[in-house]
Amino acid sequence: MWRLKSIRHKASRSAKDLDEFKQKKREFEKALRQARRDRQLISKRLLQNEDDEEEVSMETSSAPLSLEQVREMIRGVQCGVEEKAAHLASLRKALRNPDTQLTFIKSENSMHMLVGQLSGHNAQCQLEAARCLHELSHSPHPSVGQACLPAGPYLLTYLSGQSTKLMELCLYTLGNLCPDSALVREKLLAQGMVSALTNCFQNQRYNLAVVEAVGFTLSQLLQAKDATEQIIPAVMASGIIPHLISALTPDAEFGFGPAFECAWCLHYLVSSNVDNSMLLSEGALSQCTAVLIKLGGAVAQGNLLDGMELLIWPLLRCLGNLLVSGGCDVMPEDTRLLAALCVFSQAYLHPHPALCRESLWTLNNLTAGSSVFCSGLLLLKLVPVLIQLLSFSKGINSMVLRVVGNIAHHGTHYCVGLTEAGLLTALCATLKMAEPEVVTLSLEVLYMLLYSSPQVHEEFTRMNGVPLLEAIQYNSEVEQRVRAAYILHHHFPSFSEVSIDLLLFMLLCWFQNTDWSDTATLNQPMA
């Protein structure tokens, strides 16, 4: 649905009004997508009617109808012959009001009338009845969604029909009904919703409007609390996975909508507790990688298209979680991905800092345990790009420290590369920061750098780094104090005084049969 529909207007409407409406619609739809990305919440969609010539508005301003008025409209549909479609159109407009929706479902034979028109042979009445159901499905009241259940079999049947307009309406209506209650989902699943969506995707894979609608409806279904037990296994066995993966590439003319919806579907599948081996075997990892590299190239050239970041988001989550589930045995092969992730972290640092952090999180999962990608960051001279981000908070600097820690963990050659890139100077700044996690991670990385080469000791001393460690040893939290004391004792003994904290720390290491220099925490992929 994330495209601009060609809405017909009255001839008297000016071009300026049309442009203003289009802009308002773009902002409205982008806000919906942004909200879904930020909160990962189920969100209902309301399709705009292309044939409606009333004054276009994003808000419903009609007053609620009384019970008698609703009954009169129902009688108008039942008794009319040539005017049935007109009566249904009037009813549809009235159903935009939430109070009228409740009044309607409580009226006798109301849903029976709508289902009768939906299942009839009059194509126009069928379409208007579907639009009425679509308005009802958008209701905030769960009881309204449950009242629509008798229409479920017809909505699913029309997914294999000939009218793409009716197909879209049915898909978005089903997508709106899914979150209303477990009873609604149970009924729709029993009626074959998953197989109907799969068949619709297969038959309409070249119709991107329908693909987008299928993706939206499936994503609504996959977000259910009980999805892991029933829904996800059915989806994995349905044959829809290859179609979702192939739809991740955005269409140059149509836009990001279909790819966006299908990427979220894959994210919900990847982040569930099911085995991701099927997703990996179907090429989810390679496809996410290829699309991210392509988007990274566009961003690097300054082509930040509207809505692009909302596609990057679920692709990053898919890739990052696939790396966790697959381990070191399943890794991308194209090192251009490193450049793409660094480009995202730079380009979206100020407009979308959370997306910058998400890019770095994926980069952390990519470099954890991978000498190839750690070497790639050094060879491609991307480490200075990461170092520039150490001055930014909101979890960005701590994520950068995890990435450089992954690199340092591979030994002397890597630590030398980090030092030459200017990391030691940056660590002197991060050690002064107020964020405990940043200071702790800085101490871990510093220890690995100092352990790698005597030259690092000399340079750190010239930078007046030792007083920073002394300040941490006496002024910070216990964990940071003992780590600073440990570094001073092992690498700068002339400045070190054995403290009770250090003795307690060594005793703890002895009991746990571990060593502080173990960097397992840095190299564990984030969940």
Side-chain angles (χ1 to χ4, degrees):
M1 190 182 134
W2 304 120
R3 65 194 183 288
L4 186 61
K5 288 179 172 289
S6 54
I7 299 178
R8 299 172 187 167
H9 297 268
K10 293 181 180 179
S12 60
R13 188 173 299 279
S14 68
K16 182 179 179 181
D17 291 339
L18 176 59
D19 290 340
E20 288 178 355
F21 166 68
K22 287 181 178 180
Q23 181 62 30
K24 186 177 180 182
K25 188 170 189 290
R26 288 192 196 97
E27 293 172 357
F28 176 76
E29 292 183 342
K30 186 176 180 180
L32 280 177
R33 293 170 69 182
Q34 191 79 21
R36 183 155 172 236
R37 188 270 297 162
D38 288 341
R39 300 190 297 271
Q40 293 190 61
L41 295 178
I42 289 168
S43 57
K44 295 192 175 187
R45 305 280 174 81
L46 185 62
L47 282 178
Q48 298 297 308
N49 180 17
E50 296 176 355
D51 300 323
D52 196 354
E53 292 190 352
E54 67 183 348
E55 183 176 355
V56 181
S57 175
M58 289 296 175
E59 302 172 352
T60 55
S61 57
S62 59
L65 299 185
S66 65
L67 179 60
E68 186 53 41
Q69 288 174 308
V70 170
R71 287 174 177 171
E72 182 63 29
M73 298 189 83
I74 294 172
R75 284 194 292 269
V77 175
Q78 291 173 326
C79 299
V81 180
E82 297 180 356
E83 301 171 351
K84 281 182 182 289
H87 286 296
L88 283 167
S90 299
L91 176 62
R92 168 175 51 82
K93 297 168 188 175
L95 288 175
R96 291 175 181 169
N97 186 283
D99 294 328
T100 302
Q101 292 171 348
L102 289 174
T103 304
F104 177 79
I105 65 169
K106 293 175 183 177
S107 302
E108 188 178 1
N109 292 326
S110 58
M111 293 308 299
H112 179 76
M113 177 274 296
L114 262 189
V115 173
Q117 297 302 317
L118 181 67
S119 58
H121 299 293
N122 187 316
Q124 189 59 35
C125 289
Q126 197 179 62
L127 189 62
E128 286 297 344
R131 286 171 174 164
C132 289
L133 285 164
H134 183 61
E135 294 288 347
L136 289 171
S137 74
H138 199 259
S139 173
H141 305 291
S143 58
V144 177
Q146 294 180 24
C148 294
L149 271 176
Y154 299 100
L155 294 171
L156 293 171
T157 299
Y158 293 145
L159 297 188
S160 58
Q162 300 298 317
S163 171
T164 56
K165 185 181 293 186
L166 181 59
M167 206 177 294
E168 271 194 271
L169 268 173
C170 292
L171 283 166
Y172 283 111
T173 301
L174 289 165
N176 288 342
L177 292 175
C178 286
D180 280 339
S181 71
L183 174 63
V184 172
R185 286 193 301 276
E186 182 181 340
K187 290 288 186 182
L188 291 173
L189 288 170
Q191 292 164 2
M193 184 172 179
V194 172
S195 59
L197 290 175
T198 302
N199 292 333
C200 184
F201 207 145
Q202 290 173 340
N203 298 332
Q204 300 290 329
R205 59 185 180 277
Y206 300 115
N207 187 325
L208 295 180
V210 174
V211 169
E212 182 177 0
V214 172
F216 164 75
T217 304
L218 183 59
S219 70
Q220 296 284 85
L221 201 58
L222 291 171
Q223 291 179 79
K225 293 180 180 179
D226 55 352
T228 304
E229 292 76 22
Q230 299 183 39
I231 300 170
I232 290 178
V235 170
M236 297 292 283
S238 67
I240 201 172
I241 303 300
H243 299 290
L244 289 174
I245 294 172
S246 65
L248 292 180
T249 303
D251 183 83
E253 295 182 5
F254 191 87
F256 297 99
F260 170 85
E261 298 295 353
C262 293
W264 277 113
C265 289
L266 283 174
H267 164 65
Y268 299 134
L269 292 170
V270 170
S271 59
S272 67
N273 294 322
V274 301
D275 183 8
N276 286 327
S277 57
M278 175 186 285
L279 294 169
L280 292 168
S281 64
E282 292 289 352
L285 187 73
S286 58
Q287 182 71 348
C288 287
T289 300
V291 177
L292 284 170
I293 289 173
K294 185 176 181 179
L295 294 174
V299 173
Q301 294 173 7
N303 300 326
L304 275 75
L305 301 178
D306 190 35
M308 182 185 287
E309 75 281 0
L310 298 174
L311 173 59
I312 295 172
W313 205 284
L315 288 173
L316 288 173
R317 292 190 180 178
C318 285
L319 178 60
N321 285 324
L322 282 171
L323 291 169
V324 173
S325 63
C328 296
D329 296 332
V330 179
M331 296 292 288
E333 298 179 355
D334 198 331
T335 54
R336 289 181 298 171
L337 179 60
L338 294 170
L341 295 176
C342 290
V343 164
F344 296 149
S345 64
Q346 279 186 310
Y348 294 108
L349 174 62
H350 297 294
H352 302 289
L355 183 55
C356 171
R357 185 175 63 248
E358 197 95 7
S359 302
L360 294 169
W361 168 76
T362 305
L363 186 60
N364 171 73
N365 289 359
L366 191 63
T367 54
S370 172
S371 58
V372 173
F373 283 102
C374 288
S375 297
L377 284 173
L378 291 170
L379 292 173
L380 296 174
K381 301 189 183 303
L382 294 173
V383 172
V385 175
L386 297 175
I387 291 176
Q388 292 174 7
L389 300 175
L390 284 173
S391 59
F392 295 91
S393 58
K394 298 182 180 179
I396 292 172
N397 45 15
S398 61
M399 199 58 66
V400 171
L401 287 166
R402 290 181 182 275
V403 174
V404 295
N406 290 337
I407 300 173
H409 179 68
H410 286 285
T412 301
H413 174 72
Y414 293 83
C415 289
V416 170
L418 291 172
T419 304
E420 291 175 351
L423 180 59
L424 202 57
T425 303
L427 289 178
C428 289
T430 56
L431 287 171
K432 301 175 186 177
M433 291 185 175
E435 301 168 77
E437 183 185 20
V438 172
V439 175
T440 301
L441 290 171
S442 299
L443 289 168
E444 291 195 27
V445 176
L446 176 63
Y447 176 81
M448 287 186 280
L449 295 183
L450 292 169
Y451 186 81
S452 68
S453 169
Q455 285 75 23
V456 178
H457 294 71
E458 298 174 6
E459 188 171 348
F460 187 69
T461 304
R462 285 199 306 271
M463 293 177 179
N464 291 322
V466 174
L468 295 176
L469 294 176
E470 292 176 327
I472 294 172
Q473 184 181 4
Y474 294 107
N475 298 325
S476 299
E477 298 179 0
V478 173
E479 183 181 4
Q480 295 160 19
R481 288 164 59 191
V482 295
R483 292 184 183 224
Y486 187 90
I487 293 175
L488 285 169
H489 179 72
H490 280 76
H491 295 286
F492 303 97
S494 60
F495 296 93
S496 173
E497 295 180 4
V498 178
S499 64
I500 296 297
D501 286 334
L502 179 58
L503 291 174
L504 287 173
F505 176 74
M506 290 178 172
L507 188 62
L508 180 63
C509 288
W510 181 76
F511 274 116
Q512 293 182 342
N513 192 28
T514 185
D515 181 12
W516 182 85
S517 63
D518 181 18
T519 56
T521 52
L522 273 177
N523 290 276
Q524 286 294 325
M526 296 184 62

